[in-house]
Amino acid sequence: ALSVSGRQLYGAVHDVTELTGTSSYTGKTQINNDAILRVANPGPGDNVNIGTGHLEFNSTFSSSYGDQPAILETSGVIDRTIGNDPLALVKQIYWANSGGFAAYGGDLTVTLTRKDGLIQPLTWGNGNNGFRGKMLHMGSPNATHAVTMTNDIELDNTRRIWTYDNPALTTDVTIFSGNISQVGSNRNLIKTGTGILWLSSSNNSYKGITEIT
C-alpha cells in the first residue's frame, strides 16, 4: 500500500509525491491531507499507474489550517468503479473523505462507474454510487491542462466543489460535462476556490442556488 500526506502548512504550496516508474504494489493508494500524488507515467486505458488496490481520497477539513486538498495529478483517462473492496476484480476509487483530480502534462478525463455497474447518474451522497457526500477537490496549483468529469450527477443535498488554480496558466480548468440534476427540491451547489469551474452541459436541471465563495 502507499499513503501520502502533506505537512499541513496553511497557505503553503501543497506537498507533491511523484511516481515516475511502473508501479506493481498490490495494496490501496491513499491520498491524505494537503497532499498531491502525481503520476507522471500514465499507462494505457485507465492510466493511473499505481497499485492494483483501490484509490482512496482522505482529506479532512481543519479549522486551524483551512481546507487541505487530496489530489491525484495525472493525464489521460481515469475509468474506475466506486468502491473499496480489497477482493474486487476491477480498479476501484473511494471517497473516505474529500479529494479529487487535476490534469498534469495533458488533459484528463474522469468517468466513474457505480458499484451496480451503471455509469449514470452518480448520486453525490451515496456510498456505492457517488462520493459519500464528501467535497470534491478539482485542479491544483500545479495543474497544466483541463480535467473533465463526464458523469451525470444528482445533488441530494447542498454540495461543494473546491477548485484550485495554477496562477501561471489559463489552461487548467475544471469541466463538468454531464447533467447536474437533483434528488428532492432546491439542492444547492457551492463553488469555492480560485480555479475556473465550467458546467458545460445545457441540460443542468437542479433548482437550488449556485453559490460562488
Side-chain angles (χ1 to χ4, degrees):
L2 173 67
S3 179
V4 295
S5 301
R7 291 169 290 179
Q8 300 181 7
L9 300 177
Y10 180 69
V13 175
H14 307 297
D15 288 345
V16 177
T17 299
E18 184 170 12
L19 302 181
T20 59
T22 300
S23 300
S24 59
Y25 61 94
T26 57
K28 74 177 179 181
T29 302
Q30 184 181 70
I31 307 176
N32 298 303
N33 285 358
D34 216 27
I36 295 171
L37 178 62
R38 179 182 299 162
V39 182
N41 184 27
D46 180 310
N47 71 318
V48 188
N49 190 7
I50 54 180
T52 57
H54 70 273
L55 170 65
E56 181 174 292
F57 296 112
N58 190 37
S59 172
T60 56
F61 183 85
S62 167
S63 60
S64 299
Y65 296 107
D67 183 60
Q68 301 166 344
I71 295 171
L72 175 68
E73 282 185 355
T74 190
S75 60
V77 175
I78 294 175
D79 180 8
R80 291 197 168 212
T81 296
I82 294 171
N84 63 342
D85 181 358
L87 301 179
L89 300 179
V90 296
K91 294 180 178 180
Q92 294 190 314
I93 190 166
Y94 185 71
W95 274 261
N97 281 295
S98 301
F101 312 96
Y104 183 85
D107 290 338
L108 175 63
T109 301
V110 180
T111 302
L112 305 180
T113 301
R114 303 179 350 166
K115 194 172 184 179
D116 60 10
L118 300 176
I119 294 178
Q120 310 292 8
L122 303 183
T123 302
W124 198 303
N126 192 293
N128 294 322
N129 303 322
F131 313 116
R132 296 186 64 247
K134 307 303 181 181
M135 179 174 20
L136 290 184
H137 299 160
M138 303 298 291
S140 81
N142 319 298
T144 58
H145 289 74
V147 53
T148 301
M149 175 80 73
T150 67
N151 295 86
D152 292 343
I153 297 173
E154 293 178 335
L155 302 179
D156 55 349
N157 208 323
T158 295
R159 300 302 181 189
R160 185 187 299 268
I161 302 170
W162 196 305
T163 57
Y164 297 87
D165 180 47
N166 181 346
L169 297 174
T170 59
T171 52
D172 58 318
V173 299
T174 294
I175 302 169
F176 278 63
S177 62
N179 175 38
I180 300 180
S181 60
Q182 64 184 28
V183 179
S185 59
N186 297 331
R187 304 306 188 186
N188 303 327
L189 181 64
I190 301 173
K191 185 269 185 192
T192 302
T194 57
I196 294 173
L197 173 63
W198 180 18
L199 306 181
S200 65
S201 173
S202 60
N203 297 314
N204 292 326
S205 57
Y206 66 99
K207 305 297 184 182
I209 297 169
T210 304
E211 181 178 351
I212 300 174
T213 63

